[in-house]
Amino acid sequence: PAGLFAALQLIELGLKPIVLERGKDVQERRRDLKAINRDHIVNEDSNYCYGEGGAGTYSDGKLYTRSKKRGDVDRILELFVGFGASEEILVEAHPHIGTNKLPKIIKAMREKIIEFGGVVLFDTRVTDILVKNNEVEGVETQKGDIIRASKIILATGHSARDIFELLDRKKIFIEAKPFALGVRAEHPQTLIDSIQYSCDFRGDYLPPAPYSIVKQVNGRGMYSFCMCPGGVIAPCATSPGEVVTNGWSPSKRDQETANSGIVVELKLEDFKPFAKFGALAGMEFQKSIEQRAWHLAGETQRVPAQRMVDFTQSKVSADIPKTSYVPGTTPVELGQVFPGFLTQIMREGFVQFGKSMRGYMTNEAILHAPES
Ligand SMILES: Cc1cc2nc3c(=O)[nH]c(=O)nc-3n(C[C@H](O)[C@H](O)[C@H](O)COP(=O)(O)OP(=O)(O)OC[C@H]3O[C@@H](n4cnc5c(N)ncnc54)[C@H](O)[C@@H]3O)c2cc1C
């Protein structure tokens, strides 16, 4: 989405941008998502994060932020409506588009860019940035093509490790930034409804309940993130040999389960064991956890999973019921996925969550790891 919105802005300024996209268009991308879910095959150019519209296309489309670094949010919402989103997003406190509706909106954006003279090239991965006398001259693609330009905007997102490596190699300044890491928790939606609405059944006039929870544990924030009522957990790895989760929901939020990232803030000092990687230390830390998860999952996308109470008691779950995560689960003691300090915080944190939201801490809740 960052790249698409940059292209739209350039069009508004009367320029004709060239958009280079390593993945496929929204339609073609669907096949690769099927291959991940069904055959455990990750195409490193086309997956839940890569392809037209990036991670945004198959994201949940929750359009609100806790960040204080806000730009003109209304303008973005109006653009989304202009490209086909419901007008309700202009007035809702927590606007949400829904994954089923996003691909059409993203396609309309691409058509507008092309209509106004822009160019969109799919299957075009940038592999090098050409620099002369400290000035950008263009980029090279995986096909060996050179595309000359005196200005480039890099909007390759948080998953593009090859780009971070390229920048580091070319001595273009980058620095590590702290992030948050944890699990994706899934509860029956009816349970979350009964906790949040304090009633046995949710009436027809109430939406599937969301939740938001934050605790300080051992001096670190542990919090819910990207909570998806009536949603689905998705396999979001961008490279073979890794497992990563995230979540989404359709516009009606009508699935049977509620999922949420539950993450712990990391600090730069946590990356010390990877210090030899310099600015890429945090990225290597993250990668090591995603790779460990893949090994624990029997070298498949069957995500390591554990019931919530079992996790707090370091007990491998005897069974894992079917969850919304389509490739399936592998019962694992999730302490094996994370460094010890993180496991400790999450164990303690879930106990605290259970005290604030009665019923939240239950073996009906399934943790999927990692969310990174
Ligand atoms: C399942 C899921 C649900 C989410 N739900 C929400 C939500 O509800 N609300 C929210 O705000 N956020 C959500 N997010 C996060 C959100 O999608 C990301 O923060 C957002 O997409 C980041 O945008 P971006 O443009 O910076 O990068 P990305 O979306 O990662 O896009 C980067 C683009 O660059 C392309 N690219 C990468 N490398 C190259 C290369 N070398 N050459 C050419 N092209 C390249 C990729 O193919 C991709 O299209 C969700 C994410 C996921 C995976």
Side-chain angles (χ1 to χ4, degrees):
L4 281 179
F5 277 88
L8 289 170
Q9 178 95 58
L10 292 171
I11 297 267
E12 279 183 43
L13 295 170
L15 295 161
K16 294 181 179 173
I18 304 170
V19 180
L20 307 181
E21 167 55 59
R22 71 191 289 164
K24 302 175 189 169
D25 68 37
V26 280
Q27 199 62 33
E28 286 287 304
R29 241 176 118 177
R30 282 172 199 270
R31 276 183 220 176
D32 297 304
L33 303 190
K34 209 168 168 191
I36 301 175
N37 279 302
R38 201 187 51 195
D39 308 320
H40 305 245
I41 295 169
V42 178
N43 176 336
E44 50 193 347
D45 289 312
S46 177
N47 45 57
Y48 273 92
C49 296
Y50 293 163
E52 185 171 22
T57 306
Y58 291 99
S59 79
D60 188 29
K62 281 185 290 300
L63 300 174
Y64 47 92
T65 174
R66 288 183 280 207
S67 167
K68 295 195 178 72
K69 285 189 293 182
R70 283 159 173 268
D72 187 349
V73 174
D74 287 343
R75 182 175 165 273
I76 300 300
L77 296 178
E78 278 159 15
L79 273 174
F80 270 117
V81 171
F83 286 110
S86 152
E87 286 193 0
E88 283 172 19
I89 65 169
L90 299 177
V91 292
E92 281 171 351
H94 290 149
H96 170 244
I97 293 183
T99 310
N100 50 323
K101 297 203 169 161
L102 281 164
K104 240 180 164 173
I105 294 170
I106 297 294
K107 182 168 171 250
M109 287 182 180
R110 177 229 307 163
E111 285 167 352
K112 189 60 77 186
I113 291 166
I114 294 171
E115 185 188 330
F116 282 86
V119 175
V120 180
L121 301 176
F122 294 111
D123 296 309
T124 306
R125 188 191 334 139
V126 170
T127 49
D128 200 4
I129 297 172
L130 310 176
V131 182
K132 199 171 166 191
N133 300 331
N134 228 14
E135 297 276 337
V136 165
E137 288 203 308
V139 296
E140 185 172 347
T141 74
Q142 94 277 17
K143 296 170 193 156
D145 295 334
I146 305 279
I147 297 174
R148 299 216 169 264
S150 60
K151 299 275 186 285
I152 66 168
I153 295 175
L154 198 57
T156 45
H158 33 52
S159 308
R161 291 182 180 143
D162 46 358
I163 288 290
F164 296 132
E165 282 160 3
L166 172 70
L167 297 174
D168 196 42
R169 210 165 48 240
K170 298 206 77 129
K171 312 237 175 303
I172 296 173
F173 178 73
I174 53 169
E175 60 186 336
K177 108 187 220 307
F179 56 98
L181 182 73
V183 294
R184 188 129 298 241
E186 183 168 277
H187 290 77
Q189 181 63 50
T190 48
L191 176 63
I192 298 298
D193 289 342
S194 71
I195 298 172
Q196 297 297 76
Y197 294 135
S198 297
C199 58
D200 290 340
F201 297 104
R202 170 168 59 87
D204 287 345
Y205 298 104
L206 287 171
Y211 66 85
S212 169
I213 191 160
V214 187
K215 291 283 170 202
Q216 282 292 317
V217 188
N218 299 347
R220 296 198 191 221
M222 173 165 158
Y223 53 94
S224 58
F225 176 79
C226 185
M227 195 272 148
C228 302
V232 171
I233 301 183
C236 293
T238 49
S239 300
E242 295 169 3
V243 168
V244 191
T245 61
N246 208 309
W248 60 272
S249 32
S251 55
K252 289 190 177 145
R253 291 180 158 158
D254 55 1
Q255 305 299 298
E256 287 176 0
T257 46
N259 70 70
S260 180
I262 302 291
V263 292
V264 176
E265 66 167 313
L266 294 176
K267 300 180 178 172
L268 290 178
E269 68 213 42
D270 300 330
F271 308 149
K272 267 195 194 137
F274 296 85
K276 70 173 180 193
F277 295 102
L280 302 181
M283 189 189 89
E284 290 296 331
F285 171 90
Q286 181 192 47
K287 190 157 86 179
S288 72
I289 286 176
E290 295 168 8
Q291 289 177 345
R292 199 173 310 138
W294 185 72
H295 284 296
L296 289 164
E299 309 201 338
T300 68
Q301 289 295 319
R302 296 176 72 84
V303 65
Q306 194 170 15
R307 291 178 184 265
M308 192 184 281
V309 178
D310 291 346
F311 173 65
T312 62
Q313 297 171 352
S314 328
K315 208 164 79 185
V316 179
S317 300
D319 66 328
I320 303 284
K322 192 170 180 302
T323 75
S324 69
Y325 181 89
V326 176
T329 54
T330 308
V332 166
E333 207 298 272
L334 294 187
Q336 289 184 70
V337 177
F338 302 106
F341 78 91
L342 210 66
T343 306
Q344 252 345 90
I345 291 173
M346 283 193 282
R347 285 197 177 124
E348 169 62 27
F350 279 120
V351 173
Q352 290 194 30
F353 281 14
K355 287 181 184 154
S356 294
M357 272 178 76
R358 275 190 183 223
Y360 186 87
M361 233 291 259
T362 164
N363 256 347
E364 277 189 82
I366 311 299
L367 308 181
H368 303 62
E371 165 106 7
S372 48

